[in-house]
Amino acid sequence: MVSSPHEAHHRIFQENPSLFASAFRTLGIPFPEPVAVSLMDTDLTEIRPLERHVDTLLRIDVADGGSLLLAIEAQGRKDPDKRSSWAYYLAHLYAKFRYPCVLLVVCRDKGTAEWAAEPIRIGLDKHPSLVAHPLVLGPHNVPVVTDAVRAADDIPMAVFSAITHSNDHDIAAILEALAEALRATDADAAAVFAEFTEAGLGATPAREIWRNLMGTGLSHFRGFVAESFRDEGRVEGRVEGRVEGRGEDILRILAVRGVPVPDEARQRITACKDLAVLDVWFERAVTATTVDAVLAES
């Protein structure tokens, strides 16, 4: 069973794909200008009965016309078996898609982050056949955001920072700055980020601090995406079994992500009574950059 902190720490990249640009700036690594980001299937299972799933997998189309794959793994502790899995992910993805592949590991403690950053060497000591260099984001290099203005400038990074620094002695100041920033932003967007924060903090004292902050000023944000963490990261409708609720969810997700919805498209979504079609549109709405992409014929 995947924990809520685990889900929140990597799924924030799914909900806000632009976060990777901030992440790579944090790492000081040049990155081509992206023109599109697509959520891809995380199932790397072979024909043999051996299942392998990367936490989040994004295809990033860049300005020069090329594409690359970004595999994101949320790692909560040292796990020797993971290092061989990461090498497999990169090799498998390159063999399957022929795109340049990048592995980003996100951690919530410095020791795990230092372990994850060690090169993975396969082959002879002096002449390895394969060397993988994971990129790592953790408490050692993710900025501590304690200023509300700074948090408001890049709310996804502020949420990611709060999750990453959930055990930091400054976590109260971090969460207070984030809460203030959310109060000043769109209520629907704030709802998503508030839920990510609560889930990402996990069973830490910081979670109680956040709940107190939500109770004093953010209570109306709660409940928007809680259902998405109850089934190992699958996005579910907030109103079960209701066609009208599914349509509302689609429109709300598009609004949160800043995707324009003309009146004609809005009417088509609200008028649709086919739950299976709405389910397809709902899944597309999570990553699509235009409403036409959501409503396209299969």
Side-chain angles (χ1 to χ4, degrees):
M1 181 66 69
V2 179
S3 67
S4 290
H6 179 100
E7 287 294 326
H9 211 182
H10 72 85
R11 279 197 58 220
I12 190 171
F13 286 87
Q14 296 182 20
E15 301 292 336
N16 300 273
S18 62
L19 175 58
F20 75 84
S22 298
F24 278 88
R25 283 197 298 272
T26 297
L27 292 170
I29 295 175
F31 200 89
E33 181 182 355
V35 295
V37 178
S38 305
L39 185 66
M40 299 185 68
D41 188 355
T42 61
D43 188 351
L44 305 184
T45 306
E46 297 177 327
I47 296 176
R48 294 179 299 151
L50 176 65
E51 292 188 358
R52 297 183 186 270
H53 293 266
V54 64
D55 285 336
T56 284
L57 182 61
L58 301 174
R59 188 190 73 210
I60 301 170
D61 302 324
V62 296
D64 66 2
S67 300
L68 59 83
L69 299 179
L70 178 62
I72 304 169
E73 284 279 286
Q75 194 65 28
R77 59 181 176 81
K78 298 178 183 179
D79 180 357
D81 292 337
K82 267 294 183 181
R83 296 176 62 78
S84 61
S85 294
W86 292 340
Y88 170 87
Y89 295 164
L90 292 172
H92 177 87
L93 289 170
Y94 182 72
K96 183 175 182 179
F97 296 104
R98 290 296 193 269
Y99 291 145
C101 303
V102 179
L103 172 64
L104 175 63
V105 183
V106 293
C107 307
R108 296 199 299 162
D109 72 87
K110 184 178 179 181
T112 301
E114 291 175 343
W115 164 82
E118 296 174 2
I120 303 168
R121 301 178 182 274
I122 300 175
L124 301 174
D125 289 341
K126 293 185 178 181
H127 191 88
S129 299
L130 178 66
V131 182
H133 293 273
L135 299 176
V136 178
L137 288 172
H140 64 298
N141 61 2
V142 172
V144 175
V145 182
T146 57
D147 178 74
V149 174
R150 186 180 177 190
D153 285 341
D154 191 346
I155 288 180
M157 176 53 78
V159 173
F160 183 74
S161 175
I163 295 173
T164 302
H165 293 285
S166 57
N167 294 309
D168 194 283
H169 64 279
D170 287 331
I171 188 60
I174 295 171
L175 295 177
E176 288 169 3
L178 176 58
E180 185 175 342
L182 291 183
R183 291 187 186 101
T185 195
D186 174 78
D188 287 345
V192 176
F193 292 125
E195 288 287 352
F196 263 107
T197 302
E198 179 169 340
L201 294 173
T204 65
R207 191 173 194 174
E208 292 307 312
I209 296 173
W210 185 244
R211 284 177 170 172
N212 289 334
L213 287 169
M214 292 176 73
T216 57
L218 296 173
S219 59
H220 59 294
F221 294 152
R222 300 191 65 176
F224 180 68
V225 296
E227 289 296 325
S228 65
F229 294 102
R230 293 178 185 172
D231 192 19
E232 299 187 26
R234 292 185 59 203
V235 180
E236 300 291 344
R238 289 172 290 112
V239 183
E240 295 182 3
R242 295 205 311 119
V243 168
E244 295 83 2
R246 182 63 86 181
E248 292 171 2
D249 289 344
I250 294 168
L251 293 172
R252 194 169 185 181
I253 287 175
L254 293 173
V256 167
R257 298 185 57 242
V259 178
V261 182
D263 290 342
E264 182 179 352
R266 182 180 299 274
Q267 183 176 1
R268 182 178 173 188
I269 292 171
T270 57
C272 181
K273 303 302 180 183
D274 188 330
L275 187 57
V277 172
L278 288 169
D279 284 342
V280 172
W281 291 352
F282 181 87
E283 292 178 2
R284 291 175 180 173
V286 175
T287 58
T289 56
T290 68
V291 71
D292 288 341
V294 174
L295 304 179
E297 297 293 336
S298 301

